[in-house]
Amino acid sequence: GKISEALDRAGFVAPAIRNGLGFEDIFGFQPRNVQKQFIEAVTEQGAYVLEAPMGIGKTEAALYAAYKIFEKQEATGIYFALPTRLTSDKIYERMNQFLSKILDASDKNRSSLLLHSSAWLQNTEIGEDGAPGRSWFNSSKRGLLAPFAVGTIDQALMAVMNVKHGFVRTFGLAGKVVILDEVHSYDSYTGTILNELVKALRELHCTVIILSATLTGQQRRSILGTSASLGAPSPAYPLISIYPREGNLLESPTEKLEKVHVTISITSSDDEAFEEALKRAERGEQVLWIENTVQDAQKQYQRFASKEMNIDCGLLHSRFLKVDRQKNEDRWVGIYGKTGRVKNEYKGRILVGTQVLEQSLDIDADFLVTRICPTDMLFQRIGRLWRHAENDSIRPVSANREAWVLAPDLKDAIQDKKAFGKSARVYSPYILCRTLSVWQNISSLILPDDIRSTLEGTYADRLEQGNLSLYKQDIEKKRETLSRLALAGVSRGGKTLPESKAATRYSETESIEVLLIKKMSHPKSGTLLRLLDDSELLLPNKVDLAERRRITVQLLNNTVMVPEYLAPQTTRAQLTWLEDYIYLGDNRRDDHGHDEECPFRAAVVQDSGELQGIGYADISDKYVLNYDACLGYRAGKKGKEDDDGE
């Protein structure tokens, strides 16, 4: 009995599916015409691209198309791949609702496996493999064997990379419907591997569904791997591309969508935008303010919060403890979400945040202020405006669809990329200049009609002079290096890499998890931690598997992910009390006989919010580190501050 159950869970048993369900049976609403057209287009194995605006229901269209293929018994499962852990967590809930509708009540697969590197937190039973450092940490390999899974694109990319046990993954993806979502958000490194992945999936008899709001024609063609001799890519938008396993590419425009006008203002004055945001919130509007770095978002939030006013103000970014972040997101998505308006009293609010607001959360604002970012991201951010038509009748009379973009003067930016501030560390200065040169002439956008031309205007190849030519060389050099790195990772020759060494995403700053506690003591029974919410957690000397798992989940929910250079310095020796629960790396020394840096860190948060090392050890040579539940994790550099990204 146990063996067959384990095989079921590992995905070797065909799922029992309920046949004959309509779109409305599964999702509870009638499909839009764009969704209908896409579903009708997906008829056989091959690769399909749906390009359509933000908030049109691309996810539902892809899932229903996958269901129809499944119903015809032309697929063995569904793998839903997203850019980040955060987005995959959000889709996970939706995927499970979908499975509960399409699978027979007796089916063991009714809960899909969430796959990303901390996904096992959501899983319920693990055996001896759950010991730190054992294959529990690689359960992602097996997870792709399950019929239904949601995860980051990295997991699928590993299938085509030259890594140990890559074949397990490749086998796991064979014959599945693989949905690749938000593909516009990959850089050229991941992009190169992505093209290889789509090619490999086609060879594995998969059906590949690619979703994006914003692709250029060239990007679309290169992801599909179609030949250059096909003539110019179709300029239509929304667009469905159909590339069957045997046969030619067909680019098919959908019916035109309702046009929406958005007013755009470019300003270099933060003060002016600050006053405007306050004025709008005081009139009862829901305002969204998006920055490109955590530190800029923290500063902006502090500026609003210091004003004495009857306006709720919130802050969302990636550097909160998981428990704080969850509470924070639930609260603000509840207010800015689909049904939030009706439930919450009609008063103005300001929500400040970073890129997490642009892709992962379902929020709807009346007015947007955003720091300049590449065109594709700008469209994602503008897609948060007036997202839910249900709210249109109850928006303040004064509200209109409007976005203010904070950007320097183009001449200043070309002369010195520092004019972009910290944004130039997050995005390429060349792409920011190209974006600004297109957007500075726009005072009103018609969506979705202007999406394609604005994108092409930003990314079309052109000869540059002066500084722009230098900026362009920079990005091209980087792209070339990244593509080479990516293709080396994909090559079948040479030694296979261990998984930890195979990078599916290029990042100059590694991230690291940091456990934050208030206090630690060592009674006879084990190690007693006081967490930031004042609850206590005992790590007992002796522990069974179920208990170990529960404790690990609680520990990891009290961690924050930060760039390595901003993390506390911690050696493995200081954290031995964690080794039953958390992987602390190999117990190795470097060439100078020092402990190697630990892949996990911990610190004590004092009452003042300042972080202190475990056992009063030095915490950081360069930074004063702080944490509080309102602002998140902060690093001050000898009187200054330092930062990057999300």
Side-chain angles (χ1 to χ4, degrees):
K2 287 218 162 158
I3 292 176
S4 65
E5 199 172 307
L7 282 171
D8 282 0
R9 287 179 67 85
F12 294 112
V13 176
I17 193 163
R18 295 170 61 197
N19 290 322
L21 297 173
F23 187 94
E24 197 176 354
D25 300 326
I26 298 175
F27 301 110
F29 57 89
Q30 286 288 338
R32 295 179 171 189
N33 283 340
V34 172
Q35 291 170 317
K36 265 193 206 140
Q37 277 172 276
F38 182 70
I39 290 157
E40 282 158 16
V42 181
T43 53
E44 57 180 312
Q45 281 178 357
Y48 300 87
V49 184
L50 172 56
E51 291 169 84
M54 304 61 71
I56 199 87
K58 293 186 286 290
T59 305
E60 286 83 1
L63 286 172
Y64 190 72
Y67 165 72
K68 295 305 282 179
I69 289 177
F70 219 81
E71 200 181 27
K72 287 199 270 187
Q73 301 186 327
E74 286 178 11
T76 55
I78 301 171
Y79 183 69
F80 204 118
L82 293 121
T84 63
R85 286 186 195 185
L86 190 72
T87 44
S88 66
D89 278 345
K90 302 293 166 205
I91 287 284
Y92 180 59
E93 294 152 26
R94 286 163 74 177
M95 179 82 153
N96 279 343
Q97 283 168 353
F98 166 73
L99 291 177
S100 69
K101 293 281 198 299
I102 70 158
L103 292 175
D104 200 86
S106 63
D107 196 290
K108 300 259 190 322
N109 300 295
R110 280 188 73 159
S111 168
S112 67
L113 288 172
L114 176 62
L115 290 190
H116 54 54
S117 51
S118 57
W120 51 270
L121 282 180
Q122 310 253 357
N123 251 337
T124 45
E125 299 152 43
I126 49 174
E128 192 39 52
D129 279 352
R134 301 289 273 279
S135 64
W136 167 18
F137 285 88
N138 312 337
S139 61
S140 50
K141 284 201 282 275
R142 287 197 314 274
L144 286 180
L145 296 171
F148 302 103
V150 174
T152 51
I153 188 111
D154 308 56
Q155 301 292 351
L157 289 173
M158 289 278 192
V160 295
M161 288 181 73
N162 191 14
V163 293
K164 214 168 157 189
H165 304 314
F167 70 91
V168 180
R169 284 206 170 78
T170 312
F171 173 70
L173 286 172
K176 285 203 166 113
V177 178
V178 180
I179 300 170
L180 305 172
D181 197 3
E182 309 248 17
V183 291
H184 47 268
S185 59
Y186 299 115
D187 56 26
S188 50
Y189 178 60
T190 308
T192 302
I193 309 180
L194 190 64
N195 302 350
E196 290 292 319
L197 175 65
V198 172
K199 194 164 96 189
L201 291 173
R202 285 175 66 87
E203 287 165 11
L204 287 167
H205 296 269
C206 290
T207 298
V208 188
I209 295 178
I210 296 159
L211 306 177
S212 179
T214 47
L215 282 180
T216 62
Q218 197 188 344
Q219 261 180 313
R220 177 174 71 247
R221 290 278 176 91
S222 95
I223 291 171
L224 285 173
T226 51
S227 80
S229 61
L230 287 172
S234 165
Y237 188 91
L239 185 71
I240 294 168
S241 302
I242 303 160
Y243 190 27
R245 223 180 112 68
E246 310 291 336
N248 297 323
L249 173 70
L250 173 67
E251 292 176 336
S252 155
T254 73
E255 57 141 32
K256 289 278 177 233
L257 295 173
E258 190 188 333
K259 290 181 172 45
V260 165
H261 289 260
V262 183
T263 308
I264 302 290
S265 305
I266 305 266
T267 175
S268 57
S269 165
D270 282 24
D271 290 345
E272 193 186 346
F274 179 79
E275 292 306 327
E276 186 68 21
L278 282 178
K279 186 175 89 188
R280 304 279 185 135
E282 276 160 0
R283 292 195 311 218
E285 293 184 34
Q286 312 285 305
V287 175
L288 206 51
W289 185 299
I290 304 182
E291 291 285 358
N292 295 332
T293 71
V294 173
Q295 195 209 330
D296 285 342
Q298 286 167 330
K299 281 187 173 151
Q300 195 52 53
Y301 168 77
Q302 282 173 298
R303 195 176 170 192
F304 282 122
S306 64
K307 282 280 215 200
E308 291 296 316
M309 54 187 185
N310 180 32
I311 292 170
D312 279 355
C313 193
L315 174 66
L316 291 181
H317 57 69
S318 61
R319 281 187 215 155
F320 283 104
L321 286 189
K322 290 191 182 74
V323 277
D324 291 342
R325 181 169 175 169
Q326 199 54 55
K327 264 187 250 163
N328 225 342
E329 282 179 7
D330 289 349
R331 173 169 182 236
W332 286 96
V333 171
I335 293 170
Y336 276 59
K338 200 176 263 193
T339 52
R341 300 276 168 126
V342 188
K343 285 199 301 232
N344 297 286
E345 70 278 22
Y346 306 109
K347 66 176 208 171
R349 296 179 178 85
I350 298 172
L351 177 56
V352 180
T354 57
Q355 292 85 340
V356 296
L357 295 175
E358 136 199 332
Q359 57 179 20
S360 327
L361 305 173
D362 184 15
I363 43 186
D364 165 342
D366 297 320
F367 176 63
L368 169 72
V369 178
T370 169
R371 192 71 53 193
I372 183 102
C373 60
T375 293
D376 22 355
M377 317 299 176
L378 270 179
F379 278 127
Q380 290 294 329
R381 295 178 186 189
I382 288 167
R384 309 285 141 192
L385 277 175
W386 294 52
R387 186 175 166 93
H388 295 305
E390 299 89 318
N391 291 330
D392 291 357
S393 60
I394 52 176
R395 295 181 199 277
V397 184
S398 59
N400 59 30
R401 270 196 179 86
E402 191 172 346
W404 281 31
V405 181
L406 300 171
D409 179 75
L410 182 59
K411 282 200 191 83
D412 296 344
I414 292 172
Q415 207 168 353
D416 184 359
K417 60 188 175 194
K418 287 196 183 115
F420 285 120
K422 293 195 177 62
S423 300
R425 291 195 220 165
V426 182
Y427 302 113
S428 141
Y430 178 64
I431 301 292
L432 290 176
C433 287
R434 288 288 303 268
T435 298
L436 186 51
S437 73
V438 170
W439 287 77
Q440 65 180 2
N441 305 316
I442 297 175
S443 55
S444 161
L445 272 176
I446 299 171
L447 295 179
D449 299 23
D450 291 341
I451 289 182
R452 178 83 71 209
S453 55
T454 313
L455 269 173
E456 298 289 355
T458 306
Y459 289 103
D461 193 33
R462 64 178 199 198
L463 280 169
E464 301 290 5
Q465 289 166 331
N467 272 1
L468 272 183
S469 158
L470 297 174
Y471 293 168
K472 185 182 180 189
Q473 278 168 25
D474 269 358
I475 189 174
E476 283 178 347
K477 231 178 14 216
K478 204 169 198 178
R479 263 188 195 150
E480 217 172 283
T481 314
L482 295 184
S483 295
R484 266 206 315 275
L485 270 171
L487 287 170
V490 170
S491 80
R492 291 283 177 241
K495 251 184 11 193
T496 55
L497 294 166
E499 222 157 287
S500 56
K501 296 282 183 288
T504 49
R505 232 171 263 233
Y506 174 74
S507 162
E508 287 173 346
T509 53
E510 285 301 310
S511 286
I512 213 151
E513 264 183 298
V514 183
L515 171 70
L516 297 182
I517 56 175
K518 260 193 184 173
K519 222 174 174 173
M520 178 169 84
S521 57
H522 297 281
K524 278 188 184 146
S525 52
T527 301
L528 185 65
L529 304 181
R530 170 160 292 170
L531 302 175
L532 299 200
D533 64 359
D534 280 322
S535 63
E536 292 195 331
L537 178 62
L538 177 71
L539 313 186
N541 295 328
K542 281 193 174 156
V543 64
D544 67 23
L545 281 171
E547 182 68 356
R548 176 194 283 158
R549 193 174 177 293
R550 186 192 65 74
I551 291 169
T552 306
V553 170
Q554 211 176 333
L555 286 168
L556 287 181
N557 275 328
N558 283 278
T559 60
V560 57
M561 192 68 101
V562 302
E564 187 164 19
Y565 72 98
L566 297 181
Q569 297 157 346
T570 316
T571 62
R572 197 177 185 286
Q574 291 165 330
L575 299 181
T576 48
W577 45 279
L578 274 172
E579 64 190 357
D580 279 344
Y581 305 94
I582 304 285
Y583 178 59
L584 300 175
D586 300 329
N587 196 1
R588 279 205 305 254
R589 308 209 150 203
D590 62 19
D591 302 339
H592 308 291
H594 300 129
D595 276 350
E596 284 206 352
E597 281 286 84
C598 189
F600 188 87
R601 309 287 167 86
V604 174
V605 181
Q606 302 175 87
D607 290 345
S608 64
E610 196 174 318
L611 268 56
Q612 187 181 64
I614 298 290
Y616 304 102
D618 279 354
I619 190 139
S620 173
D621 299 337
K622 294 182 183 164
Y623 300 100
V624 178
L625 304 175
N626 277 279
Y627 184 82
D628 76 63
C630 244
L631 289 168
Y633 190 95
R634 285 174 299 151
K637 190 177 184 178
K638 293 174 189 165
K640 291 189 210 152
E641 288 200 13
D642 196 275
D643 187 58
D644 68 290
E646 296 179 59

